[in-house]
Structure formats: structure tokens, C-alpha cells
Amino acid sequence: MDALDIHKKAEFSRRRIVELGYGCGKHGAHFGSSLSLVDLITNVYSHFFKLGPSEVESENRNRFILSKGHGALGYFAVLEAFGFLSASETAGFEVNGSNIFAHAHKNLKRGIEYSGGSLGLGVSFAVGIAIANKIRNIDSKVIVLVGDGECDEGIVWEGLMSAANYDLQNLILIVDRNGMQSDGEKETIMDQKDLCAKIASFGFCVQEVDGHDHKQLQSAFLTESLMPLAIIANTIKGKGISFMEANPAWHHGALTDNQYDLAIQELALKK
């Protein structure tokens, strides 16, 4: 998939995030987290899931784990963009009786490998799959995406230590580093200092990239290393919507009619 196609998938996904989140009405949605990770997941699917939905039941499939549970709306939008979910399925987002809700629910037929929610658990889950695949000589990648706020959880670091201990060259960790968490800026709540150096010290080959630059992301995926790979992606929370960008109020929020119209207009101008 070329850069233009990836860009189109990402912009489609951003629009769907706004549309589906707006449909929640006063209950609102996790806009900020979803918008920051769109480019990350879009590039994961363009690079590691080139066969699309046809490979969901293959034992040798690559696996993507969304540990950053609050970004599920962005995940669903990307799954729709790549044909894993239909428009009618994503339209059920947060509708009573639907399996498409605020956190991803495991559904292998739709390519959803993991039921998210409790932060940090996705890393250990991914490490477990990577260990099992290594034992069974399955030549595939396990890609897990976490948030930088999520990295406050101790279980994340236990998982990273295990990944290095078991020499999991089949594991890729992506950190959505938007510098914020649910209640404010990271450096004023839990300053992680040099996150790249910390993860490298746990035995990872670390690549730092602009998380909204498709070329940098695709290049990082091609990194060859005898260690597990970590991609630290610098992103902007609420990316693409002016009044949401780097605004902690939009970790979770509800769009007014005027805000929805403005968001759609801004996305249209960026095409």
C-alpha cells in the first residue's frame, strides 16, 4: 500500500471517529486517545495485514493487540477502513445490544484479538502469545500498542522485562506518546523522563518516530534486530481537530452540533 492510500485510510478513520462519537450524544466518547493513534494503527494494518480479513483465522497470522483500551473507537474506525468491520457494524458503536462499545471485545472473526479495558494487561497478553508462537515455530509478528499514560502501570514493565528475557524477536511494542493522560499532562502527573532510554534498558531495540509520519512508521517496522522492537511514536492527542489537540478535556467528551460541524469541516480541508 503506497503513502497516498495509507493517508486516505487514516483520514477516513478520523472522520468515522467523529461521526461515531457524535452519534453517542451526551454520553460522549474517547476522542483524544482515538485520534492520536489513528496513524499508528493504520500503518500497522497496511504493513502487517496486507491480506485483509481473509487471514483472520490463520494460525500463522500476525496479531495486533490494543492494550490502550480507551482508543477502541479509533481501532474500530481503522478496522472498518480495512474491511474487517462493516459500516453497519461500526454504526452500532455504544448502541444497546451491540458488541461495538467503548472498549474492544474479542472477536476473532473480525480480527479483534483481545478484550481491552484494564490498562497494562495487553502487554503481558501479547508477550504470552509471542512466547507461544516462538515455541510452536510460528513465523509471525505480535504487535501491541500502549499509551504513555498506560506505562505508569507496573505490569507493563514486568511484561517488557519478560519479552527481553525470552528473546522475543517476534514482538513489536508501539507506544503512543502523546504526552497526556486522562487528567492532564504526563510531566506534571508522572514524568517518565527519557522513556526511550528506560525501554532500551529493559532489552529492547528502540526506534523513536513522529507518530503521524507514515514514512517514518513504515521504516521503523522494517528494523532488523536480535532484540524485541519498541517504536516510541510521538503523537498529538486529538490529532486533526483543532479544539481537541493537546486538550485533556477531550480525553472523553461529547460533541455539540456546532463542534461536530467544525470538526467535519476541518477534516475535509485536510484531505
Side-chain angles (χ1 to χ4, degrees), residues 9 24 31 51 57 85 90 100 115 128 143 151 176-177 185 206 216 220 238:
K9 295 285 190 188
C24 295
F31 289 103
L51 299 180
E57 296 183 358
L85 289 173
T90 58
I100 307 296
S115 294
I143 307 101
C151 290
D176 180 7
R177 185 166 65 176
E185 297 181 1
V206 176
Q216 288 187 33

Short mmCIF file of all heavy atoms in Angstrom, two decimals, residues 9 24 31 51 57 85 90 100 115 128 143 151 176-177 185 206 216 220 238:
data_model
loop_
_atom_site.label_atom_id
_atom_site.label_comp_id
_atom_site.label_asym_id
_atom_site.label_seq_id
_atom_site.Cartn_x
_atom_site.Cartn_y
_atom_site.Cartn_z
N LYS A 9 -6.74 6.11 4.14
CA LYS A 9 -7.30 5.26 5.19
C LYS A 9 -7.33 5.99 6.53
O LYS A 9 -8.31 5.91 7.28
CB LYS A 9 -6.46 3.99 5.32
CG LYS A 9 -6.45 3.07 4.12
CD LYS A 9 -7.72 2.29 3.98
CE LYS A 9 -7.56 1.20 2.91
NZ LYS A 9 -8.83 0.52 2.60
N CYS A 24 -22.95 9.18 19.74
CA CYS A 24 -23.17 8.78 21.15
C CYS A 24 -23.94 9.84 21.94
O CYS A 24 -24.34 9.60 23.08
CB CYS A 24 -21.83 8.54 21.84
SG CYS A 24 -20.89 7.17 21.17
N PHE A 31 -12.45 10.66 22.30
CA PHE A 31 -11.96 11.25 21.06
C PHE A 31 -10.44 11.42 21.06
O PHE A 31 -9.76 11.07 20.08
CB PHE A 31 -12.61 12.62 20.82
CG PHE A 31 -14.06 12.54 20.45
CD1 PHE A 31 -15.04 12.84 21.38
CD2 PHE A 31 -14.45 12.19 19.18
CE1 PHE A 31 -16.39 12.79 21.05
CE2 PHE A 31 -15.79 12.13 18.82
CZ PHE A 31 -16.77 12.42 19.76
N LEU A 51 -3.22 -9.06 3.60
CA LEU A 51 -4.23 -9.97 3.05
C LEU A 51 -5.62 -9.63 3.55
O LEU A 51 -6.60 -10.22 3.10
CB LEU A 51 -3.88 -11.42 3.40
CG LEU A 51 -2.55 -11.94 2.85
CD1 LEU A 51 -2.33 -13.39 3.27
CD2 LEU A 51 -2.51 -11.83 1.33
N GLU A 57 -8.38 -16.20 10.48
CA GLU A 57 -8.42 -17.50 11.14
C GLU A 57 -7.15 -18.32 10.91
O GLU A 57 -7.08 -19.47 11.32
CB GLU A 57 -9.66 -18.27 10.68
CG GLU A 57 -10.97 -17.59 11.09
CD GLU A 57 -12.19 -18.39 10.70
OE1 GLU A 57 -12.03 -19.44 10.07
OE2 GLU A 57 -13.31 -17.96 11.03
N LEU A 85 -14.48 -4.72 9.67
CA LEU A 85 -15.82 -4.40 10.17
C LEU A 85 -16.57 -3.66 9.07
O LEU A 85 -15.99 -2.90 8.29
CB LEU A 85 -15.74 -3.51 11.41
CG LEU A 85 -15.22 -4.14 12.71
CD1 LEU A 85 -15.05 -3.07 13.79
CD2 LEU A 85 -16.17 -5.23 13.21
N THR A 90 -19.96 -0.85 12.71
CA THR A 90 -19.42 0.27 13.48
C THR A 90 -20.50 1.27 13.85
O THR A 90 -20.39 1.94 14.88
CB THR A 90 -18.30 0.99 12.71
OG1 THR A 90 -18.79 1.47 11.48
CG2 THR A 90 -17.11 0.07 12.48
N ILE A 100 -20.01 -3.55 19.72
CA ILE A 100 -19.06 -2.48 19.42
C ILE A 100 -19.27 -1.38 20.45
O ILE A 100 -20.19 -0.56 20.32
CB ILE A 100 -19.26 -1.94 17.99
CG1 ILE A 100 -19.23 -3.08 16.97
CG2 ILE A 100 -18.19 -0.91 17.66
CD1 ILE A 100 -17.91 -3.82 16.89
N SER A 115 -9.79 -8.51 24.38
CA SER A 115 -10.80 -7.68 25.05
C SER A 115 -10.08 -6.68 25.95
O SER A 115 -9.51 -7.05 26.97
CB SER A 115 -11.75 -8.55 25.88
OG SER A 115 -12.53 -9.38 25.05
N GLY A 128 2.70 -13.21 26.12
CA GLY A 128 2.31 -14.62 26.20
C GLY A 128 2.11 -15.24 24.83
O GLY A 128 2.55 -16.37 24.56
N ILE A 143 2.05 -7.47 17.55
CA ILE A 143 2.22 -6.03 17.70
C ILE A 143 1.28 -5.55 18.79
O ILE A 143 0.07 -5.81 18.74
CB ILE A 143 1.91 -5.29 16.38
CG1 ILE A 143 2.71 -5.86 15.22
CG2 ILE A 143 2.16 -3.81 16.53
CD1 ILE A 143 1.91 -6.81 14.32
N CYS A 151 1.80 3.45 30.55
CA CYS A 151 3.11 2.97 31.01
C CYS A 151 3.38 3.30 32.48
O CYS A 151 4.43 2.93 33.02
CB CYS A 151 4.22 3.53 30.14
SG CYS A 151 4.25 2.84 28.47
N ASP A 176 2.16 4.97 22.07
CA ASP A 176 1.51 6.20 21.61
C ASP A 176 1.85 7.28 22.64
O ASP A 176 1.17 7.44 23.65
CB ASP A 176 0.00 5.98 21.52
CG ASP A 176 -0.76 7.21 21.07
OD1 ASP A 176 -0.11 8.21 20.70
OD2 ASP A 176 -2.01 7.19 21.10
N ARG A 177 2.92 8.01 22.38
CA ARG A 177 3.39 9.01 23.34
C ARG A 177 2.84 10.39 22.96
O ARG A 177 3.48 11.17 22.26
CB ARG A 177 4.92 9.03 23.40
CG ARG A 177 5.44 9.98 24.49
CD ARG A 177 6.89 9.77 24.81
NE ARG A 177 7.77 10.10 23.71
CZ ARG A 177 9.12 10.08 23.78
NH1 ARG A 177 9.72 9.72 24.89
NH2 ARG A 177 9.85 10.39 22.73
N GLU A 185 -1.32 16.62 31.69
CA GLU A 185 -0.05 16.36 31.02
C GLU A 185 0.79 15.38 31.81
O GLU A 185 0.86 15.44 33.04
CB GLU A 185 0.71 17.68 30.86
CG GLU A 185 -0.01 18.69 29.96
CD GLU A 185 0.78 19.97 29.79
OE1 GLU A 185 1.89 20.07 30.35
OE2 GLU A 185 0.28 20.88 29.09
N VAL A 206 15.12 0.23 20.32
CA VAL A 206 14.16 1.33 20.36
C VAL A 206 14.32 2.24 19.15
O VAL A 206 15.43 2.68 18.83
CB VAL A 206 14.31 2.15 21.65
CG1 VAL A 206 13.36 3.35 21.64
CG2 VAL A 206 14.04 1.27 22.88
N GLN A 216 8.03 7.41 8.29
CA GLN A 216 8.84 7.05 9.45
C GLN A 216 8.33 5.77 10.10
O GLN A 216 9.11 4.91 10.53
CB GLN A 216 8.86 8.19 10.47
CG GLN A 216 9.68 9.40 10.04
CD GLN A 216 9.82 10.43 11.14
OE1 GLN A 216 9.87 10.09 12.33
NE2 GLN A 216 9.89 11.70 10.77
N ALA A 220 10.30 2.21 10.42
CA ALA A 220 10.56 1.62 11.74
C ALA A 220 10.15 0.14 11.77
O ALA A 220 10.81 -0.69 12.40
CB ALA A 220 9.82 2.39 12.82
N GLY A 238 -5.83 14.02 20.22
CA GLY A 238 -6.88 14.74 19.49
C GLY A 238 -6.45 15.19 18.10
O GLY A 238 -7.08 16.08 17.52
#
